[in-house]
Amino acid sequence: MTESTAVLVFARAPVAGSAKTRLMPALGADGAARASAALTRRALHSAVEAGIGPVELWCAPDCGHSFFADCAREFGVTLHAQSAGDVGQRMAQAFDDALMRHARVVLIGADAVSLQAADLAAAAAVLRDHDAAFAPAEDGGYLLVALRSRQPALFDGPTWGTPSVWTQTRDRLDALGLRTCVLPTGYDVDHPADWQRALREGLLEGDAC
């Protein structure tokens, strides 16, 4: 294991009909897939710009889509396949793997559009004297989790996809006695209103779709 801090970006292949399906009523299947790709590229740009260590793109359902190969070439990232299971199981497995190779790990979702490079750098910095860092999401989940040791219990229990994920995770952090830094709250892109908000705020190119 090196003393580096890695950034893991979780992303899904931009396949029409299965990517960002909740955007499809506004953007159509092809538009939602293009939105998915745009969000992933933005997340990778922020991760690389943060300059805190190697960036890894964790792909679902596997690494086979040509978009992922394009991202590896464009951003100089390595590709890793997400495991099976719910998002908690997939995050736990990714941390298990990455923490065998890196001293600290910051994980974000590709659709965490409000996160900036500075947020990732801040998460890495606080791990010098904290066990964990989180950036909550406005919808009750979280956008970022950073750890310096395996904490599988954090990902076993929350009711994923509900507004109580962050509250349940915070309770688990307290129960485990982990020194945690809570970063500013932001938002991700789940619904058409989120996509339009990101465009208005200049977080995505206007022609992304």
Side-chain angles (χ1 to χ4, degrees), residues 178-201:
L178 298 179
R179 292 169 295 173
T180 304
C181 177
V182 180
L183 300 170
T185 299
Y187 72 98
D188 52 14
V189 173
D190 286 325
H191 303 284
D194 304 322
W195 177 256
Q196 292 301 323
R197 177 182 177 183
L199 292 177
R200 287 196 309 272
E201 294 179 357

Side-chain angles (χ1 to χ4, degrees), residues 25-141:
L27 303 180
D30 289 339
R34 290 194 294 271
S36 176
L39 289 164
T40 298
R41 293 186 73 260
R42 186 192 186 281
L44 289 171
H45 182 272
S46 296
V48 172
E49 184 183 8
I52 58 178
V55 178
E56 302 179 358
L57 180 56
W58 282 71
C59 312
D62 53 46
C63 302
H65 197 283
S66 61
F67 172 72
F68 294 139
D70 292 342
C71 288
R73 287 190 295 269
E74 180 178 355
F75 295 98
V77 302
T78 56
L79 303 181
H80 305 261
Q82 293 183 36
S83 69
D86 64 27
V87 66
Q89 292 169 318
R90 288 182 278 125
M91 287 194 292
Q93 187 275 330
F95 272 107
D96 286 351
D97 182 282
L99 284 167
M100 290 191 293
R101 296 177 282 109
H102 308 283
R104 294 164 295 275
V105 171
V106 179
L107 186 151
I108 65 172
D111 58 0
V113 70
S114 67
L115 289 178
Q116 307 290 325
D119 298 311
L120 308 187
V126 300
L127 288 183
R128 298 191 189 105
D129 52 14
H130 290 76
D131 300 307
F134 281 81
E138 293 175 1
D139 64 6

